[in-house]
Amino acid sequence: MLHIINKSPLSNGALDSCLRVAESGEILLIEDAVYAATKGSALEGKMKEAMDKLKVLVLLPDLEARGLADRIIEGVATVDYGGFVDLVASNKNCQSWL
Amino acid sequence: MATIEVSGKSYETDEEGYLINLAEWNKDVADYIAKGENVNMTDNHWEVVNFLREYYDEYQIAPAVRVLTKAIGKRFGAEKGNSQYLYDLFPYGPAKQACKIAGLPKPTGCV
Amino acid sequence: MSDIKKFMFVNRKAPYGTIYALESLEVVLITAAFDQEVSLAFMDDGVYQLKKGQQTKGIETKNFSPTYRALEGYDIEKLYVEKESMEARGLSEGDLLVDVTVLGKKEIGELMDQQDVVLSF
């Protein structure tokens, strides 16, 4: 299953909740959620832990827009818009967390 | 917004004739709305209308037709719990007509 | 309709403060009318939607909590509550206004995986 998060994890609980219940699958960080994919944030440890059970991806254009494309946590994969579409198509289902 | 006049009192309705304030409902208003729908209210009609009011009171929604049919069957017996019976009473649909007469909003999902 | 899909509505917002809870409930009722397999999951503040004894007169807002009890009549019998969220809010099953299945976080996650469609509110 593909989980899509679009809110900053520092001001919204969606990513936390998703990581709490999801045991497998992929997480795509888009819009303000891309901050979760950056080194040095308070969430870095949690993200690294999550990567043991989930594949974490980030939408590169959103990260670039925020000036953080050079700070991606190691192991987080980047996708462009075409890759986003491929992810949705290749997963059985997806949930856009609010 | 529109209004209807029943025995000297006026009631607000929406543009389709559904009562705005369901607390204002009474039998005279029901009769008036039924006449406008060409429905001649019999005991069987009242049974459904009163059931709908009770249902709304308990659950705060007007039931979908399928749900109403099942619930009517449970309460009043299988010979009444079918769509043939309900459409005979309310030819334009129990949801549309019976809810309107009962002073309820249109059921959710009924366009 | 022969093509029945499994729909899960994930409710994570408290009632009244925002419109999400009410909107979710309306979509649930509409979906049920199409004879699909519908289940509801309540986690985070969504658990508050099911708290017994809601009285909304004072805020002049419609109390839609009784409608959760109508869901059984719509053949929606699967209401899941995440245990961790419920306990984090000091609530227990007895505080809820309808019968639910309480599941741990992992089981909720597994159920999500099994759905055809997951809608988040």
Side-chain angles (χ1 to χ4, degrees), chain A residues 1 3 12-14 17-18 20-24 92-98, chain C residues 10 12-13 20 43-44 82 85 105-106 109 112-116 118 120-121:
Chain A
M1 154 167 225
H3 298 275
N12 178 290
S17 298
C18 174
R20 188 172 74 236
V21 301
E23 282 297 304
S24 62
K92 176 182 173 272
N93 58 0
C94 71
Q95 173 168 204
S96 293
W97 291 71
L98 276 182
Chain C
V10 180
R12 296 179 45 247
K13 305 277 195 282
Y20 291 105
M43 51 187 289
D44 298 320
E82 191 213 0
S85 295
K105 56 186 183 179
K106 282 188 184 176
M112 284 176 188
D113 283 345
Q114 294 162 14
Q115 305 300 313
D116 293 304
V118 180
S120 192
F121 283 90

Side-chain angles (χ1 to χ4, degrees), chain A residues 18-97:
Chain A
C18 174
L19 295 180
R20 188 172 74 236
V21 301
E23 282 297 304
S24 62
E26 301 181 295
I27 295 192
L28 174 62
L29 305 166
I30 64 169
E31 299 166 20
D32 285 350
V34 299
Y35 293 116
T38 59
K39 274 189 272 196
S41 92
L43 279 138
E44 189 174 349
K46 195 170 229 178
M47 291 310 291
K48 284 184 168 158
E49 214 175 281
M51 283 155 65
D52 289 340
K53 53 176 189 173
L54 300 152
K55 178 163 191 205
V56 180
L57 305 107
V58 62
L59 188 65
L60 189 57
D62 278 329
L63 203 54
E64 286 172 337
R66 289 160 180 78
L68 289 161
D70 58 350
R71 252 182 245 184
I72 305 175
I73 295 172
E74 236 164 275
V76 173
T78 60
V79 291
D80 57 12
Y81 290 108
F84 187 165
V85 174
D86 291 340
L87 276 174
V88 173
S90 64
N91 274 276
K92 176 182 173 272
N93 58 0
C94 71
Q95 173 168 204
S96 293
W97 291 71

Side-chain angles (χ1 to χ4, degrees), chain C residues 40-71:
Chain C
L40 277 64
F42 296 86
M43 51 187 289
D44 298 320
D45 283 349
V47 179
Y48 287 133
Q49 294 175 24
L50 300 179
K51 175 70 180 65
K52 265 184 198 163
Q54 297 175 34
Q55 301 283 350
T56 58
K57 263 214 176 85
I59 58 169
E60 294 182 21
T61 300
K62 179 173 166 153
N63 178 5
F64 54 86
S65 68
T67 306
Y68 294 104
R69 285 200 290 259
L71 295 178

